[in-house]
Amino acid sequence: NAGVTQTPKFRILKIGQSMTLQCAQDMNHNYMYWYRQDPGMGLKLIYYSVGAGITDKGEVPNGYNVSRSTTEDFPLRLELAAPSQTSVYFCASSYSVGSGNTIYFGEGSWLTVV
Amino acid sequence: AQTVTQSQPEMSVQEAETVTLSCTYDTSENNYYLFWYKQPPSRQMILVIRQEAYKQQNATENRFSVNFQKAAKSFSLKISDSQLGDTAMYFCAFMAPNTGNQFYFGTGTSLTVIP
């Protein structure tokens, strides 16, 4: 069982470039999330999705876009990368029905914008 | 709105000793879940323990246990027989199904186990 898989694990971008962080989960979870974690800080929610075709903004959505065309996939797109987007990005998923609500995280994607 | 507060930015403990990490939360929900996650230097987020609010019994996982005080909205983590591998950042988290399954995280406590 792979859980939540994120790619790439490491990436260096130049200012103004764009890229997509891929995220896939194989647990049939309805809810998926993207967080960023700046050095020495906690987690900040960027976007989340309650199911295929439905997405919503979190605390820090500016500069990012998401889509959720399938239950499994939840890619995060960075448009016009800026140094302030240098961070570790975590994709996560959770189940929606009944007890057992736990959030599972991918291993993180380390992004540096130079 | 839900909030999670961890008032101890850094803590240290001698190897084999016991340490308690504090967490308080604020919510008007009655049905919710509380979690402790461990984040070692690799940055991977690892679930340590989970507590359902409707359960009065405190959750326990091997050397890790919680003291859940629902009326006080307190959820502390006790680590017994601390090991060097316990050195990590620890995050307290809250989730209430009625809030759209959003998870709210504290700012973390950095724990160092001293040999």
Side-chain angles (χ1 to χ4, degrees):
Chain A
N1 190 348
V4 180
T5 303
Q6 290 180 235
T7 56
K9 191 167 178 64
F10 300 96
R11 181 73 186 267
I12 298 175
L13 274 181
K14 293 184 178 179
I15 294 173
Q17 287 185 322
S18 299
M19 74 161 295
T20 299
L21 298 177
Q22 301 293 342
C23 176
Q25 53 92 6
D26 62 359
M27 297 174 281
N28 202 31
H29 284 171
N30 287 357
Y31 290 80
M32 295 189 74
Y33 316 80
W34 274 105
Y35 292 90
R36 61 177 284 175
Q37 185 181 30
D38 298 332
M41 305 293 285
L43 298 168
K44 293 185 177 180
L45 182 65
I46 305 171
Y47 270 96
Y48 67 100
S49 169
V50 303
I54 306 170
T55 62
D56 209 344
K57 296 178 180 178
E59 181 184 359
V60 288
N62 291 342
Y64 308 93
N65 276 300
V66 294
S67 60
R68 184 96 181 270
S69 57
T70 67
T71 298
E72 295 78 19
D73 300 302
F74 190 43
L76 176 72
R77 180 150 181 89
L78 282 70
E79 303 283 1
L80 299 175
S84 61
Q85 293 179 303
T86 294
S87 191
V88 181
Y89 291 84
F90 290 96
C91 181
S93 70
S94 72
Y95 194 46
S96 66
V97 179
S99 63
N101 281 288
T102 298
I103 188 168
Y104 296 90
F105 288 86
E107 294 187 343
S109 296
W110 300 62
L111 175 66
T112 301
V113 181
V114 297
Chain B
Q2 336 303 317
T3 59
V4 178
T5 301
Q6 293 179 251
S7 59
Q8 305 154 314
E10 297 180 355
M11 294 192 71
S12 61
V13 62
Q14 292 287 340
E15 192 175 7
E17 296 295 309
T18 296
V19 64
T20 298
L21 308 183
S22 300
C23 173
T24 59
Y25 58 95
D26 190 24
T27 185
S28 58
E29 299 291 329
N30 197 45
N31 177 33
Y32 54 87
Y33 301 81
L34 295 161
F35 309 83
W36 278 98
Y37 281 85
K38 169 185 177 181
Q39 188 180 48
S42 67
R43 293 288 196 113
Q44 187 173 1
M45 292 288 284
I46 302 166
L47 176 66
V48 174
I49 201 165
R50 188 187 75 169
Q51 175 83 41
E52 290 97 342
Y54 63 86
K55 290 187 177 179
Q56 292 185 341
Q57 186 173 4
N58 288 325
T60 300
E61 289 287 342
N62 300 314
R63 297 183 294 106
F64 298 88
S65 61
V66 298
N67 183 5
F68 174 47
Q69 301 289 329
K70 190 172 183 178
K73 295 181 181 175
S74 172
F75 183 61
S76 60
L77 174 69
K78 186 172 81 171
I79 305 174
S80 304
D81 185 25
S82 297
Q83 301 176 358
L84 296 179
D86 295 334
T87 293
M89 183 73 82
Y90 287 81
F91 290 97
C92 179
F94 166 98
M95 190 280 283
N98 284 347
T99 64
N101 264 51
Q102 287 203 41
F103 286 76
Y104 298 87
F105 290 85
T107 51
T109 296
S110 178
L111 176 67
T112 300
V113 179
I114 303 167

